[in-house]
Amino acid sequence: MFDRELIRLIGGNKKYVVYAVLLMVLGLLANIGITASICWAIWLTIPPQESEAVAYLYPAIAAVAAIFVRYMASRLTGDLKDKLGRKVKKDLRKRTYDKILKLGVRSTDGMSMAGLTQVSMEGVEQLDLYYSTYLPQFFFAMIAPILLFCICVGIDWRFSVVLLACVPVIPVSIIAVSKYAKRVFAKYWGIYTSMGDTFLDSVQGLKELKIFKADAARHKKINASAEEFRKITMKVLVMQLMSITIMDLIAFAGAGAGTALAIVGVMHDGLSPAAALFLILVAVEFFLPLRSLGGAFHVAMNGASAGRKILSLLRMPDPVWGMKQVASHELSLSHVTFSYDGKRDVLKDVCMAFPERGMTAIVGESGCGKSTVVNLLIGANRPQKGQVSVGRDSLESVSRQAYYAQLAVVSYNTYIFNDTVRANFRLAKKDVSEGEIWAALKKVNLEGFIRDNGGLDKVITEDAANVSGGEKQRLALAVNLVADKDIYIFDEATSNIDIESEEIIMNTIKEMSANKNVVVISHRLGNVVPADNIYYMEDGEVKESGTHERLMAEGGGYAALYKMQKTLEEGYKEFSAWRENRQSGVRADGEARA
């Protein structure tokens, strides 16, 4: 199996494959030299040869020299394959990492986090075996039978022709197996990554599984996934054993045929016994390279399956960026149409403007296209029609580094790293002072909490599990305040947090909008009342725009949604007050009875 696309992946490391093949050929010639030396020494003992003792010194010297060459060739081949494997792994991991960096905030379509991890780690390991083991063996297996034919044809042409004719039977069997093996290995990697996804998902959601008492059901699902993987693994092993058995039968049959022809040559055609012995010993060399290739074939199939996944990642188009510097911090969408799948338009002829200073809000029911607008503004996606601009320049024409130097995004799932509070702030600004950190924490009402819980050396655990949701959101906001960007995008930054934290965050956002371009995406319309301009969206279109007062006066979709939310909030407040009064009454009655 020879895949040109996979060969192109190794780039300049192809030379190591060539060197390894040349050393393997040298090792084969040394093996032939050892065999020839043994046969030479035996020939000297056969009458009517009357050789002196010194004559045996020549085949002995030749054998020692050939053994030394064989040893050095084997040693150098091993070292070269190891070097090839290490360089390929290093280069592929670097290319994979660089690709992920180039994609930036864009998601890796069709590849989960677990799948991406497995491909970039285990997939590269499998490709290492493909390049360092299978590929040199592939070329050597093509050269070795022809080289042996050229050596043996002068001794007995019938022997050489028959063995050369038997050699292609092994590749034919490999090709026959490969058609089935491709499907098996593709399925193997699919099940493998799926099992990884299930396990990672279960570990991340372990708390929820315990709360809902669904851990037993999840346990069964993981067992089923593991059992499916076990079955496909056993199928791979059975296929490997069957194909190896077939290749062994072909190799032994071919070597047996060669041995029979050599014996016939001695009995009827005057072939020298020493020459016949040489042919018999060399016969197996016709088949060993292809037999080893067959053994490495299954490694190659596994590596090729992993390689195709790496190729699919590397083929993903890079986001288009230019070289212009950001001259203005004003953002705009001009007649933008966007679709994720090319079939259904998520945004339809959308026009929006986000001035250099001020608070602009985008609201609407779930699925209306708010988050898609955010993805366009941050450069994660590009529109099929229309233009996203920063200042007078299209987003595609400005430098990504220059644009991101002006941009900060705070969302409901902004990541806080498993590190100290100080270290998280230094990610946003390398030379940030402690005074700046405390000032930012004070703005979001976190100063007291941090001081009382270890200070700036407090370690935030994985997924910020040791702080509340509100504290996590406020900490994310404080980190972004220290970054001091000119454009801030808040994508549902107050989602699923307490009212106190929500109020603090919204007050800080409004204060920032006096000097920054602030874009707010929110499902709760009460948060965007102070906005300078509000875009109300339905089904991927901007239906209304204006201030809160203007939109309420128009009495359209925004006003209806705002009134509905207001009614629900007031009803919830009344219910909460009633419940609190009732609980107070129950407690008072209990104390009176006591």
Side-chain angles (χ1 to χ4, degrees), residues 359-430:
M359 176 178 169
T360 306
I362 305 172
V363 298
E365 296 182 354
S366 297
C368 68
K370 302 188 297 293
S371 294
T372 302
V373 171
V374 171
N375 287 334
L376 291 169
L377 290 176
I378 66 177
N381 294 315
R382 296 296 161 85
Q384 281 80 30
K385 295 179 183 178
Q387 181 173 288
V388 181
S389 304
V390 50
R392 296 182 180 179
D393 300 314
S394 67
L395 201 58
E396 293 91 340
S397 65
V398 301
S399 161
R400 179 169 67 176
Q401 290 78 7
Y403 182 58
Y404 285 168
Q406 316 295 324
L407 178 69
V409 181
V410 183
S411 70
Y412 62 92
N413 63 347
T414 296
Y415 197 80
I416 302 295
F417 286 88
N418 178 198
D419 211 330
T420 63
V421 173
R422 182 186 283 103
N424 272 282
F425 275 91
R426 284 178 176 169
L427 288 173
K429 186 179 179 181
K430 290 181 180 179

Side-chain angles (χ1 to χ4, degrees), residues 96 100 103 106-120 193 197 305-314 316:
T96 304
I100 294 170
L103 291 174
R106 178 179 173 178
S107 63
T108 51
D109 300 332
M111 195 172 291
S112 64
M113 185 56 64
L116 187 63
T117 304
Q118 286 169 317
V119 164
S120 59
T193 54
D197 291 343
S305 297
R308 291 187 191 98
K309 288 187 177 289
I310 293 175
L311 281 170
S312 68
L313 173 65
L314 297 178
M316 289 182 69

